[in-house]
Amino acid sequence: SAFKTDWHEVPEWNPDTRTWDKRDEAWHQLQVANYGSEEAFNAQFGTNFDISANTLIAQKVLSRRNQRLHEFVEKEMPGVPFSSSWYWHPNFDPIDCKSSYLVLTTDIAEGGGGDSTVCCVHRFIEPGSNKLECVGYFKSNKLPREHATTSIQVFVSLMCHQDRTLLSFERNVYGEIFVKQMTENVEKGVPGCMNFDPSVFVKYYNESGTKFHYGIKITSGNKTTHCKLYKEEYEKDLLINDAAQYMVELSNFSDDGHGKYAASFGHDDMVMAEVQLTFVRETLQYKLLRD
């Protein structure tokens, strides 16, 4: 029959004393230091041979965060279309968005059952610090892209204080269309969109600082670095997202074996919306809002 032997059950040969010594916590910590991380130690000495060894976030951190998860819930948002696609921390009232300093990160999808359009709403929870908490999110893979865009735009216009709000999005296939549609909604007088202020869009500048784009282009060149930045911030508890649905994605977000991060199965739309925060943080607009 199968049996399992953990690292602490195997003695270590000590050539100085010529004895077999017990592997204790001090030995464990020394090995972690030598190998560079808990994950690398587990790869060498661990007995869990599953995909979780390669997750972006360390397993022990994921276990701790699992203890405090909340099921985010629908809440009343008068005037916001498709509000059933918005989910909120049970202890947060979306009415409080008006008095909060907010960073929204968005990933646009086509709609129709594949990837989801996601918009994560984060608020600063300590003035002047980088600590951000996700208090709510929009998520739908069924709504057509136009409806999702309008819902996000009306939410920003009606529910947020636009001088205290930043809206970032991934400039993928649909990013350009996202801005274009918002502009047209204002021009056509779509209810709830008329007082939308485009200054909420995060401006991403080129290296020389001479030109900017709305939206960030996430490429194979910058994705891995920013995933690692996100890992640092999340593990230090500077970026907080205690939504149960988010944890499902984060627990499957792994290194594919070639240093590239993606969902090992399922989707990673919410994770990539969260990783986007590390791009927002590099902008002047973010630093001004934070301070």
Side-chain angles (χ1 to χ4, degrees):
S1 63
F3 63 91
K4 184 171 93 164
T5 306
D6 283 314
W7 60 262
H8 51 80
E9 298 173 271
V10 181
E12 181 88 352
W13 176 250
N14 185 331
D16 299 330
T17 58
R18 300 187 62 75
T19 54
W20 291 98
D21 294 349
K22 186 171 169 53
R23 289 173 170 178
D24 56 10
E25 187 52 31
W27 175 87
H28 169 221
Q29 292 304 330
L30 180 64
Q31 300 308 317
V32 170
N34 289 341
Y35 281 93
S37 72
E38 189 75 42
E39 288 81 2
F41 170 83
N42 283 335
Q44 190 68 24
F45 296 101
T47 51
N48 291 328
F49 301 106
D50 61 8
I51 189 75
S52 65
N54 292 329
T55 50
L56 174 67
I57 307 299
Q59 284 299 305
K60 59 182 181 181
V61 177
L62 290 173
S63 299
R64 282 203 303 272
R65 297 292 190 273
N66 262 308
Q67 307 303 310
R68 64 181 205 202
L69 295 182
H70 295 276
E71 199 66 49
F72 278 35
V73 293
E74 287 174 41
K75 299 210 175 180
E76 197 63 37
M77 289 200 292
V80 178
F82 313 107
S83 62
S84 60
S85 294
W86 290 87
Y87 304 90
W88 297 95
H89 191 296
N91 302 336
F92 183 82
D93 189 331
I95 274 312
D96 294 334
C97 286
K98 236 351 170 213
S99 57
S100 303
Y101 289 80
L102 302 174
V103 178
L104 279 55
T105 50
T106 311
D107 193 357
I108 316 298
E110 177 56 42
D115 289 341
S116 294
T117 289
V118 169
C119 178
C120 293
V121 181
H122 312 90
R123 66 171 178 147
F124 284 94
I125 50 176
E126 283 174 13
S129 92
N130 277 322
K131 206 161 184 179
L132 288 168
E133 177 188 23
C134 178
V135 290
Y137 61 87
F138 173 97
K139 187 171 196 274
S140 173
N141 68 347
K142 299 281 193 292
L143 275 183
R145 188 189 64 248
E146 306 78 54
H147 291 173
T149 300
T150 301
S151 184
I152 293 165
Q153 185 175 17
V154 175
F155 167 75
V156 172
S157 303
L158 296 186
M159 306 295 292
C160 304
H161 189 311
Q162 293 186 81
D163 292 340
R164 297 177 182 172
T165 302
L166 291 178
L167 174 59
S168 173
F169 59 91
E170 187 178 339
R171 193 159 54 87
N172 56 9
V173 187
Y174 305 113
E176 301 281 337
I177 303 170
F178 181 64
V179 176
K180 187 168 179 286
Q181 192 196 327
M182 286 195 175
T183 308
E184 285 171 4
N185 282 349
V186 173
E187 288 165 358
K188 289 177 188 163
V190 172
C193 296
M194 278 82 82
N195 65 347
F196 177 78
D197 184 349
S199 69
V200 299
F201 286 126
V202 177
K203 298 182 177 82
Y204 291 98
Y205 282 85
N206 61 2
E207 279 183 24
S208 59
T210 50
K211 282 187 180 159
F212 73 82
H213 273 291
Y214 292 141
I216 183 67
K217 191 94 173 155
I218 298 179
T219 65
S220 55
N222 63 25
K223 181 178 176 179
T224 302
T225 304
H226 284 267
C227 285
K228 287 179 175 170
L229 281 173
Y230 179 74
K231 172 187 172 72
E232 274 178 28
E233 303 281 84
Y234 180 88
E235 292 186 354
K236 285 181 192 161
D237 224 12
L238 290 173
L239 298 177
I240 299 164
N241 188 333
D242 293 334
Q245 189 163 1
Y246 178 62
M247 184 55 77
V248 173
E249 283 194 18
L250 192 60
S251 302
N252 298 326
F253 194 69
S254 306
D255 184 334
D256 65 359
H258 305 288
K260 291 186 166 41
Y261 290 97
S264 53
F265 58 89
H267 293 274
D268 58 17
D269 310 310
M270 285 182 82
V271 178
M272 287 314 299
E274 291 289 295
V275 168
Q276 213 179 116
L277 284 170
T278 62
F279 290 93
V280 179
R281 284 191 166 181
E282 292 167 356
T283 67
L284 179 62
Q285 281 161 293
Y286 170 84
K287 287 163 188 165
L288 291 171
L289 187 69
R290 177 196 63 198
D291 296 339

